[in-house]
Amino acid sequence: IFYGARWYTEPTNQEMRGYLSTAYPGWALIACRTAPDWRVEDCVGLSEYPTGSNMLRAVLAAAWQFRVRPPRLGGSRDQSPR
């Protein structure tokens, strides 16, 4: 099951600049497990546009610094293991 992430803190342009400098403009979609301290782990790439833009590689490389809120079901934190 996938849940849309909400940022705890959104990465800044400065934090992303080095990673995105090697990719062509576009977007990438990744899936990660939430981890303690608002972090993510075990990220995998799902798609990128345009194909071959290296955006997926760049976003996966930058994911170590992403901070997201854990999923919430019914207004409270989901306690089930991921």
Side-chain angles (χ1 to χ4, degrees), residues 16-37:
M16 295 298 295
R17 185 173 292 124
Y19 299 99
L20 298 179
S21 67
T22 62
Y24 293 102
W27 55 261
L29 180 63
I30 64 172
C32 307
R33 289 186 327 141
T34 54
D37 195 29

Side-chain angles (χ1 to χ4, degrees), residues 14-81:
Q14 183 176 351
E15 290 171 326
M16 295 298 295
R17 185 173 292 124
Y19 299 99
L20 298 179
S21 67
T22 62
Y24 293 102
W27 55 261
L29 180 63
I30 64 172
C32 307
R33 289 186 327 141
T34 54
D37 195 29
W38 313 106
R39 296 185 180 273
V40 297
E41 60 186 18
D42 302 328
C43 297
V44 295
L46 300 178
S47 62
E48 73 176 351
Y49 180 84
T51 301
S53 65
N54 288 325
M55 185 60 71
L56 188 57
R57 182 204 49 77
V59 172
L60 284 170
W64 68 271
Q65 62 191 347
F66 294 170
R67 300 288 188 277
V68 298
R69 296 181 183 281
R72 298 176 76 82
L73 297 174
S76 54
R77 184 169 178 202
D78 177 12
Q79 300 295 326
S80 63

